[in-house]
Amino acid sequence: MVYLQKYLEDCGCDPDLVQLIRLISRQMEPIRKAFLDNQFYEHTLNASGEVQAALDKWADAHLIKVIGESGYVREIASEEQEDIIRFENSRREYAMVMDPLDGSSLISTNLAVGTIVGIYESGGVMQKGSNLKAACYTLFGPLTVLVVSVGKGVQSFAWDPKSEHYYLLKKSFDIPEGKIYGSGGVYKDYIPAHEKVLSYFDEKGFKVRYSGSFVADCHQLLVYGGIYTYPALKKSPKGKLRLLFEANPLGYIITQAGGAITDGYQSPLDIQPEKVHQRTPIYIGSAGIIKKIEEIYREQ
Ligand code: P6P
């Protein structure tokens, strides 16, 4: 069995980056255990105005405490925090963006949710996603799975509660051209370009498979190929998903697996963030589908 730390060391990662990723990965069991205690919504709203599950707040506070105390990280931007958190005494300049618990509205349904993290080597969190040094997400499904990229493709690791290690599950993901359609933003106030995209999906016989958890809906694309959409809508021209915490880390990982991400015109990875919680329309998945979507948008 190849364990997470050994694999990252063999990739030639900076030892502190290895330890940072390892530290993040080891917070997943405490979060999973906290599901039992925190599964009901509190009546609070996050910085994006969305109802927070108690577990959103618990996971956010836990990760900020543990990672902040590690000394590896100078800044953290979290979907659950209004402002960027700075650690003046950190030993390293890594900067972390995170969605502590993506898809938390599904906790009470026991569907798969997960934690999304992006890591910059230095320069703070307000950077283009194309500058990411590493990104990872966990998926709390039948297994607790960690998917990670340090710029050398994409690997997955499974948590083994007996040995208390993550061991290598899949050494390399190469996203196929599939026909799964994760239909985020299924409303009727579509913009004309998205109407044309949906007609294309119908014509090609795409099949809807959507859970409402971005991290879970993207993970299935790594395995089967296809597309996840949360497009610009008439009433919300920037869509719903956040650039820093969702689009960039998952865009980095999917791109590392041979896929692609677009807002219809360009990759969100190339967007210079102006606000911590700015949103972006998202199409993410198989490269051939993304190419076709950008052709459709250009024809508008
Ligand atoms: P809707 C979860 O809040 C999230 O950000 C993504 O994980 C998910 O894909 C999307 O929102 C779900 O949005 O409008 O379908 O509930």
Side-chain angles (χ1 to χ4, degrees):
M1 279 194 211
V2 178
Y3 292 142
L4 174 65
Q5 178 166 337
K6 174 82 170 65
Y7 188 90
L8 295 176
E9 286 166 349
D10 290 351
C11 281
C13 284
D14 174 293
D16 283 344
L17 179 59
V18 173
Q19 291 309 315
L20 176 55
I21 294 172
R22 188 172 177 276
L23 185 63
I24 293 164
S25 73
R26 287 180 173 267
Q27 307 319 312
M28 297 305 125
E29 277 313 287
I31 292 175
R32 196 174 185 113
K33 286 192 185 86
F35 283 167
L36 291 175
D37 311 330
N38 291 274
Q39 59 178 289
F40 301 107
Y41 282 111
E42 285 181 352
H43 299 295
T44 54
L45 300 179
N46 67 13
S48 297
E50 292 158 339
V51 171
Q52 282 179 309
L55 198 61
D56 278 319
K57 294 176 71 178
W58 188 91
D60 180 57
H62 178 78
L63 287 165
I64 289 170
K65 182 175 185 306
V66 171
I67 306 304
E69 287 172 355
S70 71
Y72 295 126
V73 169
R74 173 73 69 191
E75 279 188 5
I76 294 181
S78 167
E79 184 175 300
E80 303 306 327
Q81 295 287 330
E82 185 69 35
D83 302 311
I84 296 168
I85 300 171
R86 280 185 63 82
F87 302 94
E88 298 305 341
N89 304 324
S90 69
R91 289 184 293 105
R92 294 300 302 265
E93 292 299 316
Y94 287 112
M96 194 170 112
V97 292
M98 69 175 184
D99 182 352
L101 203 62
D102 176 69
S104 54
S105 60
L106 300 176
I107 292 169
S108 49
T109 67
N110 202 37
L111 285 175
V113 296
T115 298
I116 304 173
V117 173
I119 299 170
Y120 295 97
E121 189 160 24
S122 62
V125 294
M126 295 299 283
Q127 294 187 59
K128 294 180 181 180
S130 52
N131 294 348
L132 281 165
K133 181 73 179 172
C136 60
Y137 63 81
T138 48
L139 203 50
F140 296 108
L143 290 173
T144 296
V145 168
L146 174 81
V147 174
V148 61
S149 179
V150 292
K152 296 184 177 170
V154 177
Q155 293 76 40
S156 65
F157 298 82
W159 174 252
D160 172 20
K162 269 207 190 118
S163 66
E164 296 198 332
H165 280 285
Y166 280 92
Y167 63 83
L168 185 65
L169 206 54
K170 192 169 173 64
K171 196 171 180 181
S172 169
F173 282 92
D174 182 9
I175 182 169
E177 288 295 332
K179 292 195 172 177
I180 283 179
Y181 161 35
S183 54
V186 181
Y187 303 114
K188 294 307 169 206
D189 63 334
Y190 296 138
I191 60 172
H194 189 61
E195 295 276 15
K196 291 268 190 321
V197 168
L198 294 181
S199 306
Y200 171 72
F201 291 173
D202 282 347
E203 182 194 308
K204 295 296 178 187
F206 281 36
K207 292 181 177 45
V208 173
R209 277 177 100 185
Y210 181 67
S211 76
S213 162
F214 179 54
V215 64
D217 291 327
C218 279
H219 189 64
Q220 72 176 333
L221 301 180
L222 275 181
V223 180
Y224 296 118
I227 192 84
Y228 168 96
T229 76
Y230 213 106
L233 300 167
K234 284 180 188 152
K235 285 197 218 77
S236 38
K238 286 293 182 189
K240 175 182 182 184
L241 272 67
R242 275 61 44 143
L243 176 64
L244 265 65
F245 316 114
E246 292 163 310
N248 281 342
L250 266 294
Y252 175 87
I253 289 171
I254 290 278
T255 306
Q256 280 286 320
I261 183 172
T262 185
D263 63 5
Y265 303 98
Q266 66 172 327
S267 168
L269 295 170
D270 297 330
I271 295 173
Q272 174 53 49
E274 290 162 11
K275 292 194 182 118
V276 175
H277 295 277
Q278 76 183 62
R279 300 173 190 265
T280 177
I282 286 187
Y283 295 92
I284 183 170
S286 304
I289 303 172
I290 297 292
K291 187 168 175 288
K292 180 64 186 172
I293 288 168
E294 289 188 336
E295 282 170 15
I296 292 171
Y297 268 71
R298 272 197 298 276
E299 287 158 9
Q300 297 310 300

